[in-house]
Amino acid sequence: MQLTILQKNLHQGLNIVSHIAEKNLSIPILNNILIKAKDNIITLAATNLEIGITKKIRGKITKEGATTIDAKIFSDYIALLPNEKIDIQLVNKQDLKINCEKYNTIIKGQSSEDFPVIPQIDKKISLTLAVSDLKVALNQLLFAINPTDSRLELTGILFDINDKFINLVSTDSFRLAKKEINFHLYSGTIDSNGLKIIVPLKTMQELARIINFPNDELTEDSDQIQIHIADNQILFIYQGIEMVSRLIEGHYPDYVQVIPTNFKTEITIDRGELLRAIKMASIFSANSNAIDLTINSDQQQIVVEAVSGQVGSHQAKLAAKINGKDNSIRLNYRYLLDCLNVLSANQVLLKIIDDVSACKITLPGSEEYQYIVVPIRK
């Protein structure tokens, strides 16, 4: 193998791929990145056996070949080189000889024959989504998952797909977030019952990192991401990057039944003002994380307060547009902040039944994003 590549392009590719290579004492090859030069394409790949990521980058190939090399050592070294052309050559069948201006080194490698095969999935159903929609959705969903939950099906995001849109759902049993995204179905058939799959949290975190990663090589389809679904795997394709992941087996809870209806009180309020009031009240919530919201429909205001026997007390009265009855509810302030911090709208809509039923936060005039929170019993 012999190739020439710009440091900037190689560094960017390694930043995307090397993140998935994990320190693995039982399978040392998983610490490595696969480097393959073939058909005028340089491919970088890494896997932890649950997720596999490949990135195709541009360069000049003089001689085809492949090897694997320690991900951290190679990435750290390339990052320190000047932004110039790098000449890479395979020596001793598996080691890499690297030359860039006055810098020359050899890094020990391992045969590519020992590297696990990253599977090519059977693309039964293929979708195209707007990357901007997916970025927003992941930002509004990922925080509502507990990765240590003993119920494996709750450690991922549900993709509830019908023939028009996807409902992405996350929950940790104390709160639930749901985001609706439109898509283009360009291959496959979804029956009337729809399709439900569960994608692991780690996969979605990696996907969020990839689509938010700065990319100087934007193409015509840079605003789109392809999703291909097989029986037990999912493949994401974006900007020359392919990420394949296993799916979580199991049945996701019926989230539709969890979403409350028939609210008694609806509060439309300035998001920034509510966010400030909750942050201030959180200082006085002690270890319980509890803050109280009291809604007065006659005065068209909501009172945010918290009391601590050790610290003191705090109360804020906020103007709001209130429809319905007077009401009150005690909530975990952290759950409220998680939601309010990822919404960009000026106003939010808070819907309440009573102090023992789950409440809902959404945006005025839109149900595309819904956030459900279970109250703290008084």
Side-chain angles (χ1 to χ4, degrees), residues 174 329-332 354-359 373-377:
F174 299 103
I329 193 168
R330 175 172 291 174
L331 297 169
N332 185 318
D354 51 39
D355 60 355
V356 295
S357 304
C359 67
V373 186
V374 175
I376 299 173
R377 295 295 179 95

Side-chain angles (χ1 to χ4, degrees), residues 104-129:
N104 305 291
T105 191
I106 293 178
I107 301 179
K108 294 290 185 180
Q110 189 174 347
S111 173
S112 61
E113 295 179 359
D114 300 326
F115 196 79
V117 175
I118 296 178
Q120 299 294 314
I121 76 168
D122 181 15
K123 302 173 183 178
K124 292 188 174 180
I125 294 177
S126 299
L127 318 170
T128 300
L129 274 65

Side-chain angles (χ1 to χ4, degrees), residues 1-2 66-67 88-99 105-110:
M1 180 176 72
Q2 188 172 351
T67 191
I88 298 176
Q89 183 178 356
L90 187 64
V91 295
N92 304 324
K93 295 185 178 181
Q94 60 189 33
D95 303 336
L96 282 188
K97 181 179 180 182
I98 304 168
N99 299 322
T105 191
I106 293 178
I107 301 179
K108 294 290 185 180
Q110 189 174 347

Side-chain angles (χ1 to χ4, degrees), residues 155-193:
T155 61
I157 286 184
L158 173 69
F159 281 53
D160 185 1
I161 308 169
N162 59 38
D163 60 352
K164 294 181 180 178
F165 56 85
I166 302 176
N167 277 323
L168 300 178
V169 184
S170 61
T171 184
D172 62 5
S173 296
F174 299 103
R175 45 24 185 322
L176 179 147
K178 181 177 81 73
K179 178 71 172 182
E180 180 183 305
I181 300 181
N182 294 321
F183 65 87
H184 303 288
L185 175 67
Y186 67 88
S187 177
T189 302
I190 298 175
D191 62 31
S192 57
N193 295 322

